[in-house]
Amino acid sequence: SRLQQLLNRFKFRRVLDSNPQTKVISLLGRIDGKDAIVTMEKMHFSYETNVFKKEEGRNTPVLHNCEAEFSCLKSIEEMREIASNDIYYWGTSVLKQDLAANPTAKINLIWPATPVHIRKFEAQSFHVIRETPAIYRAVVEPYVQEMCSGNRLKWVHNILYHGAESERVVYKDFAEQDVPEGFLVLPDMKWDGVNLDSLYLVAIAFRSDIRSLRDLRPEHKPWLVKMLNKIRTVIPGCYNYAIRPDELRIFVHYQPSYYHFHIHIVNVKHSGLGDGISAGKAILLEDIIEQLNFLGNEGFMGRTITYVLGENHDLWKRGMEAAVLEQLEKDGIPKLPKAVNDFS
Ligand code: M7G
């Protein structure tokens, strides 16, 4: 495969980040002289599966809940006991792997990676910041405009208009493809496509006038409600009803990485996603819809939004750092005492 060929030419430079809890490591390197980011994630276990089975005397198949072929214990191939003590036993094992049903790891490659990508993946410090409408207009909007130009949204346009990943689209809302209300749903790049416990889909709107949460106004409410309900109606069926509508965490990021309106759809069980679903980053679509009842005509454009921003994000140096210092002072939060470095 093309991915395999590219990875074969990968020349390692350094580790960008490594997280033993999420079992994710991100490496920076070069392929053919251009920057490349490889992210590897150890996959979770599978246990149960849902299948429809034909039963005697019925003409509609019945949904069966059963143990998956590669469920945790069934897949043990080799085993070594480390120790035991009283009623406690522990050891390590090698599990049977299968590329389709039980892969070992998920691998993402971004190539050629831009400096914005590299900074996003790199370990960094985060700050809670308050973005007022005035700061949005002065600092963020010009940045958003820059991010909308150039090639950064190419992958989105490829999906919407050029058939990229088309065989993976699980739902497409079409009256006509170019109807501004339309959207489609497909597996997110973050999902391994196998394990439903970590189900991660992304819904992408066809319209391009909504760059982020900030552009949402009360007139968009019916459209958002329609998408929310369509998603909850259709997605469980796409996955054999192994997931219920109320087990989908449906949210939007602020700040997003890509300024074309899209919605994250994730199994509620799944929380091992870095900061992707934490407070200060993910906002439930339900809450967005509800807030539009109260925000007045300009919608989110008139609201102060508090969120978490990493120091590597361009917005930090472009004005957010200064804004935070100003806000802390205005709120009367005491300045930190100057620390002397005493490590020796
Ligand atoms: P975001 O909130 O703008 O950025 O969401 P984030 O990456 O910081 O969460 C964009 C979502 O689209 C993310 O969940 C990405 O994993 C996903 N995504 C990004 N790209 C480049 C692709 C792609 O090419 N295909 C698919 N299927 N998903 C993508």
Side-chain angles (χ1 to χ4, degrees):
S1 69
R2 182 143 161 76
L3 176 60
Q4 176 77 65
Q5 287 167 7
L6 289 168
L7 291 177
N8 287 344
R9 305 205 296 274
F10 183 83
K11 300 256 182 327
F12 173 81
R13 300 190 97 174
R14 65 191 163 91
V15 175
L16 289 174
D17 201 5
S18 153
N19 184 334
Q21 193 181 4
T22 55
K23 306 203 165 41
V24 175
I25 189 163
S26 296
L27 311 175
L28 177 68
R30 307 203 105 196
I31 297 173
D32 302 347
K34 291 182 200 143
D35 286 328
I37 301 168
V38 172
T39 305
M40 299 186 66
E41 177 186 357
K42 278 268 175 72
M43 305 254 304
H44 187 51
F45 303 94
S46 62
Y47 182 69
E48 59 180 20
T49 178
N50 275 4
V51 284
F52 279 101
K53 285 186 191 160
K54 243 354 210 167
E55 277 179 16
E56 202 72 48
R58 285 185 61 123
N59 44 21
T60 47
V62 175
L63 191 62
H64 282 253
N65 193 231
C66 39
E67 193 177 2
E69 188 192 348
F70 286 94
S71 82
C72 327
L73 293 187
K74 277 191 181 170
S75 66
I76 295 179
E77 275 185 343
E78 278 181 78
M79 179 93 236
R80 184 174 61 94
E81 187 172 314
I82 296 173
S84 63
N85 182 345
D86 184 37
I87 56 173
Y88 308 97
Y89 310 82
W90 60 103
T92 53
S93 68
V94 174
L95 303 182
K96 183 168 167 201
Q97 307 286 285
D98 180 274
L99 204 45
N102 198 31
T104 315
K106 178 165 160 296
I107 301 180
N108 282 23
L109 168 69
I110 303 179
W111 180 77
T114 66
V116 174
H117 289 115
I118 298 172
R119 288 198 298 273
K120 176 180 157 189
F121 280 87
E122 197 151 24
Q124 57 188 304
S125 304
F126 291 89
H127 300 270
V128 178
I129 62 162
R130 212 155 65 212
E131 183 184 296
T132 62
I135 294 177
Y136 177 76
R137 279 187 290 271
V139 178
V140 182
E141 182 143 43
Y143 169 79
V144 172
Q145 237 137 37
E146 280 170 38
M147 296 303 276
C148 285
S149 59
N151 271 339
R152 203 156 152 85
L153 291 176
K154 190 159 179 239
W155 70 273
V156 174
H157 301 140
N158 284 349
I159 290 171
L160 293 178
Y161 304 112
H162 307 298
E165 302 184 52
S166 56
E167 70 295 344
R168 291 154 41 76
V169 170
V170 291
Y171 177 72
K172 189 164 172 182
D173 192 271
F174 52 67
E176 277 300 314
Q177 207 183 61
D178 53 357
V179 166
E181 303 264 300
F183 69 102
L184 49 75
V185 182
L186 77 167
D188 193 284
M189 203 170 77
K190 291 186 182 117
W191 189 37
D192 56 46
V194 177
N195 204 307
L196 270 182
D197 281 357
S198 55
L199 175 77
Y200 202 129
L201 307 169
V202 59
I204 304 177
F206 275 99
R207 65 196 296 167
S208 54
D209 57 329
I210 314 285
R211 297 162 302 176
S212 78
L213 181 70
R214 276 282 181 206
D215 290 330
L216 291 174
R217 294 185 299 277
E219 71 209 59
H220 300 122
K221 216 186 105 174
W223 173 61
L224 294 171
V225 170
K226 200 184 109 198
M227 284 195 288
L228 174 65
N229 288 339
K230 265 281 156 57
I231 289 167
R232 293 185 302 162
T233 304
V234 170
I235 299 310
C238 294
Y239 295 94
N240 252 348
Y241 301 96
I243 186 150
R244 297 161 34 151
D246 52 335
E247 289 172 335
L248 298 171
R249 199 190 299 257
I250 303 172
F251 59 91
V252 162
H253 276 163
Y254 198 75
Q255 298 286 338
S257 294
Y258 303 98
Y259 293 91
H260 177 113
F261 193 73
H262 57 275
I263 300 166
H264 300 250
I265 305 162
V266 186
N267 190 336
V268 272
K269 272 187 186 175
H270 189 24
S271 56
L273 292 162
D275 65 340
I277 65 162
S278 49
K281 175 85 182 176
I283 307 167
L284 291 175
L285 185 57
E286 297 263 11
D287 280 341
I288 292 170
I289 290 168
E290 176 63 17
Q291 272 188 43
L292 287 172
N293 291 326
F294 303 92
L295 284 176
N297 285 339
E298 54 175 355
F300 280 88
M301 206 54 92
R303 224 201 86 168
T304 291
I305 306 175
T306 299
Y307 58 89
V308 172
L309 190 74
E311 286 185 5
N312 287 350
H313 199 288
D314 275 351
L315 287 173
W316 180 245
K317 283 293 174 216
R318 284 172 71 150
M320 289 310 191
E321 183 178 18
V324 173
L325 290 174
E326 204 177 295
Q327 285 164 6
L328 288 172
E329 189 167 327
K330 214 164 118 209
D331 294 348
I333 312 295
K335 281 211 177 84
L336 289 183
K338 206 167 171 57
V340 177
N341 211 333
D342 258 347
F343 299 96
S344 52

